[in-house]
Amino acid sequence: MLSRMCVARSAFNVGHTLKTPIPKNFVPKNYVIRNYAREPRSRVAAQQPTASLWARLMAPAGPNAFSLGKGALAGASAMSLAALCYYGSGVKPGVCTEAHLWPKYVKDRIKATYGYIAGSIALTAGSAYTVFRTPALLNLVARNGWMSIIVTLGLMIGSGMVVRGMDYTPGFGAKQLAWMVHTGIMGAVIAPMCFLGGAVLTRAAWYTAGVVGGLSTIAICAPSGEFLNMRAPLAMGLGAVFAASLASMFVPQTTALGAGLYSLSLYGGLIVFGGFLLYDTQAIVKRAELHPMYGLKPYDPINSAISVYLDIINIFMRIAIILSGGGGNKRK
């Protein structure tokens, strides 16, 4: 009411307005203009109810649903480049500067560990290709449903626990056989990714090699133990990524909540496993240095290799999904 009175102030004063009745057919021009500009806006706002939080979360995902994940990944990439330049410049003495002081058995341990890492990747690739070319096996691993998911998780986790729990003996023995079975199961699990096409998988392999090489270089150039304090934050991040992966199975990815969970699982997982690669690389060096040469149990390169191997597999899978357009990169 006060705003309407102020709008008509140029036509007559306040006292005249309150005492004199306004003719029915008299409407000032400026009153009509201001009322036309303001009144419909207030009425439309009043007619639209405020959407609940659940309705907003279940609303269709917008075009910028993956922007937060992409921004976090870009920030992590920038930090990695800065760390590579910082540690590579030699400001602090890194692991590589101490390598010439290692005794021969430490070098042999690190060499054996990375030999098992390379063998794990080769066995996984061969297993994935074999399963993809065998329709009966591919039908088993590509099935949907809770039973298939439970069996797959059980085989992966169970075979990994068996390998880690066995004692290592040099040469070819039971632990080496269990390691081959475990890598074969991992290859069978990721075999359906071959449907993405050879071009996408080849690019993903090259990108993974670049990421792994760059992060490994950072870990080697950094001081010994620089990233070994990251275990607790990385474990928390892994828990969040795992929870998001499970929750995204129940929420459609076309909704805002589902797209956010999927973005956390995809881009957040890529960042977390990149951090684990830094940690596990320096952990390999630390174990090779500290494990006694004549201890009760020999140094176990297989257990040290499995951690880095799983980091590489997770990084490769996420890069392949992003390149295929599953991370909001579909070209229009």
Side-chain angles (χ1 to χ4, degrees), residues 29-101:
K29 291 183 179 181
N30 53 357
Y31 172 83
V32 175
I33 295 173
R34 296 300 297 271
N35 191 36
Y36 178 79
R38 293 181 178 181
E39 190 72 9
R41 196 181 307 172
S42 61
R43 289 181 179 177
V44 171
Q47 291 176 359
Q48 292 180 349
T50 303
S52 63
L53 178 61
W54 180 251
R56 294 178 182 178
L57 293 176
M58 299 305 295
N64 298 324
F66 295 93
S67 298
L68 183 60
K70 294 178 181 178
L73 182 60
S77 302
M79 290 179 61
S80 300
L81 290 175
L84 182 61
C85 296
Y86 176 73
Y87 292 120
S89 62
V91 176
K92 292 184 178 181
V95 177
C96 57
T97 60
E98 303 172 358
H100 67 281
L101 301 176

Side-chain angles (χ1 to χ4, degrees), residues 124-137:
T124 301
S127 174
Y129 181 80
T130 302
V131 171
F132 184 72
R133 290 297 182 180
T134 308
L137 296 176

Side-chain angles (χ1 to χ4, degrees), residues 167-189:
D167 293 332
Y168 173 81
T169 54
F172 185 80
K175 188 176 182 71
Q176 285 78 3
L177 182 60
W179 161 71
M180 294 176 65
V181 172
H182 175 62
T183 54
I185 291 173
M186 294 298 298
V189 170

